[in-house]
Amino acid sequence: MASVIKSLLFQNHHTVNHQSNTVSKSQSKPTLFCITHDLPPLKTPIANRAKKLLGEFEKTWKLNVLTGTKNADLSEEASISYAKNLYPKFLIDLIGRLRLEKLLTLLIWPDPDIFWVLPAIIKGYRIIQKQRPDAIFVMMMPYSAGLVGIVLKWLTGLPLVLSLDDSLSCTDMHSSSASWLHHHLEHWLEDFYVRQADAVVYVSQFNLDIVKNRQPYRQQSKLHLVRCGADPADFSHPISTLVTDRNFEIIYTGGMNGWYEFYHRPEEKTLAKKLYKAWMELGYYHRTTIDTRSSSPVFAGHAIQEVLAKYPEWNAKIQLKVYGNSFPEFVVQRVLENQNLQDVVSVSGTLPHFQAIQLARQADLLFITLPNRPDGTSGGRISCKTYEYLMTDRPILAAVPKGENWDYLQDKPGVWLVEPTDIEAMNKVIATVASAKFAGSPLRFNRQHLQSELSYINLVQDYLKIFDTVRSRTINAK
């Protein structure tokens, strides 16, 4: 199959003398062909994490990077190539205007970046034939990027390492599928990735175990755990501004996705709107029940209001500030108005990662919230901000459901764990931490013993061991 695809794509590629190529590579760094769709200047957590990891990789590997991000921001030493996404924007926008979005959820799979796969394969194959790298590394999401890596492995025979940010089996991120068929296709795709790759990296032990238990014994050794982390260098710079001692600021960095649950007032939920919502959800396969309302500032905002009612002398002094919102401003403002939270919650758009770190380092209280799981099942998602918050000395209010994030934080100093919708528990934590601040003794916690565990520099060593292992297997096989 690989030979057929090769002949269709490229009839006349240059042959390479294997012996001379081996000699030249022995005298220099090995070369890693990296497929990373998202890179800075995009301000997503995945883009930032990709840049951090690649920056560490290039200390021991030469990097050729294929991306779907224009003007990608990496070091000058990395060779960067851009493949344009063939996403049919006009057609998809037209379907959206016709209120036929449901067709898109059924037909575009596994994600909208599936239209990037073919251009990326063509560009990637040409680069590999010219540069002759030693291994292929794919960082997901998007999930469709894994297909690029697999086809390039078929075409070139190079070892392949896949790294998943959020597993397709993660019910925190994927509590439902567009249909029963899509549910099984998603599990098939993840199992297909495991079978085709030489190694697969997960950031969650919980999700890794779910996938591992589905695999034949001979495939299970391919799965590796390398958690997300943080860069100590981001926390070593002097803090540029200081929060005033007169106010108490609760900081949340990152996006939230529970806004639309509060967008309409009860009296606005007309029959037509209910029918449209039922149509959009028709046929969905639900793996578990997720309460997305708690992935919003609403419950924490009401907790602040309860604190202010108990301590009127703190009036106008406590506020939750959300940085990193990607939802339309009119949606956010209407939710805050509907919930009467304008005085205690402020929401700002995306900002550079370094600036988000600076804000976190000067917070009076850091806030994490994840969607609740009313059915009581455990989740396997650990929010990336968990690791970054732990690199600071600031108190942390973690409104997360039971699961891996809860378990991971349970023994960490200066962390208060509450259920995501428990307003009473939240207001007690806020009152405790605020009392200390206003009494002149703000709470601080020494977490230096965690910095080595959380550091990208150390986490990258696990990746490098995986790269060396798959590369050595290929060399020995030859």
Side-chain angles (χ1 to χ4, degrees):
M1 179 178 178
S3 60
V4 173
I5 299 175
K6 283 183 184 179
S7 64
L8 290 173
L9 290 176
F10 303 100
Q11 296 291 339
N12 299 307
H13 64 266
H14 296 290
T15 58
V16 178
N17 185 289
H18 176 71
Q19 183 175 1
S20 62
N21 190 50
T22 303
V23 171
S24 63
K25 285 186 178 181
S26 67
Q27 299 172 350
S28 62
K29 293 179 181 179
T31 301
L32 186 66
F33 183 70
C34 303
I35 302 169
T36 53
H37 184 277
D38 290 0
L39 285 169
L42 296 180
K43 297 175 183 178
T44 62
I46 292 175
N48 176 70
R49 180 167 174 254
K51 181 177 181 179
K52 295 291 186 183
L53 288 176
L54 297 185
E56 292 297 322
F57 291 167
E58 68 180 354
K59 294 178 180 178
T60 51
W61 287 69
K62 180 181 177 181
L63 300 186
N64 287 325
V65 182
L66 177 64
T67 182
T69 304
K70 279 188 176 181
N71 303 314
D73 176 21
L74 287 175
S75 73
E76 294 181 357
E77 295 182 10
S79 175
I80 305 172
S81 301
Y82 168 71
K84 184 178 180 180
N85 196 326
L86 298 179
Y87 184 81
K89 187 176 186 304
F90 175 81
L91 176 60
I92 290 176
D93 287 348
L94 176 61
I95 293 173
R97 287 194 295 271
L98 295 173
R99 309 291 285 180
L100 297 174
E101 299 97 329
K102 188 170 181 65
L103 292 177
L104 301 179
T105 64
L106 293 171
L107 297 176
I108 299 179
W109 183 84
D111 49 52
D113 292 301
I114 188 65
F115 300 102
W116 184 68
V117 169
L118 182 59
I121 290 171
I122 295 172
K123 178 66 78 67
Y125 185 73
R126 289 172 176 168
I127 295 169
I128 289 174
Q129 287 301 302
K130 182 178 180 180
Q131 301 294 335
R132 306 302 296 178
D134 297 273
I136 301 171
F137 171 71
V138 181
M139 189 165 185
M140 296 181 276
M141 300 161 49
Y143 296 117
S144 50
L147 298 172
V148 179
I150 287 172
V151 173
L152 290 177
K153 177 185 176 179
W154 290 347
L155 294 171
T156 64
L158 292 173
L160 171 66
V161 178
L162 300 177
S163 178
L164 287 114
D165 190 69
D166 292 312
S167 163
L168 280 157
S169 299
C170 178
T171 54
D172 285 315
M173 295 298 297
H174 309 290
S175 61
S176 60
S177 295
S179 70
W180 176 89
L181 175 61
H182 286 78
H183 162 70
H184 287 280
L185 282 173
E186 286 158 8
H187 277 200
W188 172 85
L189 180 62
E190 190 164 17
D191 294 342
F192 176 69
Y193 283 162
V194 173
R195 292 194 303 271
Q196 297 299 320
D198 295 271
V200 183
V201 177
Y202 283 82
V203 298
S204 160
Q205 184 68 58
F206 184 93
N207 291 327
L208 184 154
D209 289 340
I210 289 176
V211 179
K212 185 175 182 179
N213 291 335
R214 298 202 304 257
Q215 309 307 315
Y217 179 76
R218 66 182 182 278
Q219 300 287 348
Q220 293 181 2
S221 62
K222 293 181 178 180
L223 277 66
H224 304 267
L225 176 69
V226 184
R227 295 194 185 278
C228 296
D231 187 348
D234 290 338
F235 298 83
S236 62
H237 300 278
I239 298 176
S240 56
T241 59
L242 296 175
V243 175
T244 173
D245 289 337
R246 295 189 300 273
N247 296 324
F248 184 86
E249 292 192 352
I250 305 169
I251 301 294
Y252 177 98
T253 60
M256 292 179 165
N257 55 20
W259 298 103
Y260 284 114
E261 299 299 321
F262 299 97
Y263 184 72
H264 293 293
R265 297 186 181 95
E267 64 272 16
E268 295 174 330
K269 295 180 180 179
T270 63
L271 177 61
K273 290 177 179 177
K274 291 178 180 178
L275 289 174
Y276 180 72
K277 182 178 180 181
W279 157 246
M280 291 299 294
E281 295 179 354
L282 181 66
Y284 266 71
Y285 181 91
H286 296 283
R287 299 187 180 108
T288 191
T289 304
I290 294 291
D291 183 2
T292 56
R293 297 178 310 147
S294 53
S295 181
S296 76
V298 170
F299 296 96
H302 289 314
I304 294 172
Q305 289 176 331
E306 289 191 1
V307 171
L308 295 177
K310 294 178 183 177
Y311 300 91
E313 66 272 23
W314 296 347
N315 187 41
K317 291 185 177 181
I318 300 180
Q319 189 170 61
L320 169 60
K321 295 188 175 182
V322 178
Y323 297 96
N325 171 65
S326 59
F327 279 74
E329 185 177 354
F330 74 90
V331 174
V332 172
Q333 292 307 314
R334 180 162 188 188
V335 169
L336 296 181
E337 290 172 7
N338 287 349
Q339 297 295 315
N340 194 28
L341 295 173
Q342 306 98 307
D343 294 337
V344 294
V345 177
S346 67
V347 180
S348 303
T350 56
L351 69 169
H353 183 257
F354 176 76
Q355 189 176 346
I357 294 295
Q358 290 287 80
L359 290 166
R361 293 175 64 200
Q362 57 186 314
D364 294 306
L365 177 63
L366 291 166
F367 181 54
I368 305 172
T369 185
L370 293 176
N372 200 16
R373 302 173 69 95
D375 60 4
T377 56
S378 293
R381 179 190 179 196
I382 297 184
S383 173
C384 288
K385 65 177 62 64
T386 297
Y387 307 101
E388 294 176 343
Y389 285 4
L390 289 172
M391 291 289 283
T392 75
D393 61 356
R394 304 300 160 127
I396 299 169
L397 170 56
V400 298
K402 297 294 177 62
E404 192 164 6
N405 211 144
W406 181 289
D407 295 341
Y408 183 76
L409 286 170
Q410 200 158 27
D411 62 346
K412 302 298 188 292
V415 178
W416 282 264
L417 286 160
V418 302
E419 295 288 344
T421 58
D422 192 339
I423 294 174
E424 181 65 23
M426 289 186 203
N427 84 52
K428 289 179 179 177
V429 176
I430 294 169
T432 297
V433 182
S435 294
K437 163 72 180 288
F438 291 133
S441 301
L443 299 180
R444 300 290 181 263
F445 299 90
N446 186 346
R447 303 191 186 106
Q448 291 184 353
H449 63 287
L450 295 174
Q451 292 186 2
S452 176
E453 172 190 334
L454 300 171
S455 170
Y456 273 120
I457 296 172
N458 293 327
L459 292 170
V460 160
Q461 300 308 311
D462 294 327
Y463 273 106
L464 296 178
K465 290 175 184 176
I466 295 168
F467 296 156
D468 289 340
T469 298
V470 299
R471 179 177 175 238
S472 64
R473 287 175 187 164
T474 303
I475 293 173
N476 293 335
K478 291 179 181 179

